[in-house]
Amino acid sequence: MSANPRLPALSGIFRFCFVSGALGGAGGLVLGTLASHLPDAAFAVPNGRGVLHTGVEILMWHAIALCALTLGAPLLERRLVRLACLTMALGTILFCAPVTLYALFDLKIGTLSVARIAPYGGTLLIISWLLTAASGLRKASSDTL
């Protein structure tokens, strides 16, 4: 018997979330480069560079976390970790996209700034971390390493 048992392949939601995390990492790198190299005039709001850097930070950390969470999913309670992955992916999008659109374009929906969507994404990110913790606590003790 091998000391390194073969882990199951990623499928379905976990494959989607892993790929989303990897693409988020690539997107975060692109946005981080823009935030560092664009002239100040390219930002639509005061301190736009700082706003974009904040979005990039959240995107990069959660891209890494999403990839790690999907790879660790077999060790966690399946339903909760699945929900945590989806919530993290959605929360990342709902936080980072509005922050980016606000910093670069000051985009508005009617008279409201698109940045008003970001707190909903942030709330989903907090919930995703709580679900991740719960998935670790709920795993049956007979399945411990």
Side-chain angles (χ1 to χ4, degrees):
M1 187 163 139
S2 172
N4 295 323
R6 183 172 164 84
L7 293 175
L10 290 176
S11 64
I13 288 171
F14 293 116
R15 179 179 298 275
F16 168 78
C17 288
F18 184 86
V19 170
S20 295
L23 292 174
L29 185 59
V30 169
L31 290 173
T33 302
L34 288 175
S36 294
H37 296 290
L38 284 176
D40 289 337
F43 296 96
V45 295
N47 192 30
R49 184 181 313 278
V51 171
L52 186 55
H53 272 297
T54 298
V56 168
E57 246 183 82
I58 295 296
L59 178 56
M60 292 302 289
W61 281 111
H62 286 87
I64 294 165
L66 196 53
C67 289
L69 188 56
T70 57
L71 293 176
L75 303 173
L76 303 167
E77 202 280 324
R78 193 132 178 107
R79 287 178 300 150
L80 286 174
V81 74
R82 183 180 293 126
L83 187 57
C85 285
L86 288 172
T87 305
M88 189 174 287
L90 181 60
T92 302
I93 291 166
L94 287 178
F95 181 86
C96 297
V99 166
T100 300
L101 293 171
Y102 171 70
L104 293 175
F105 307 109
D106 193 15
L107 186 66
K108 296 189 181 345
I109 300 171
T111 59
L112 296 176
S113 173
V114 73
R116 289 181 169 242
I117 298 169
Y120 297 102
T123 300
L124 286 175
L125 288 172
I126 293 166
I127 291 169
S128 73
W129 284 105
L130 294 173
L131 288 166
T132 299
S135 71
L137 293 172
R138 296 275 319 265
K139 187 65 176 171
S141 60
S142 62
D143 294 338
T144 58
L145 293 178

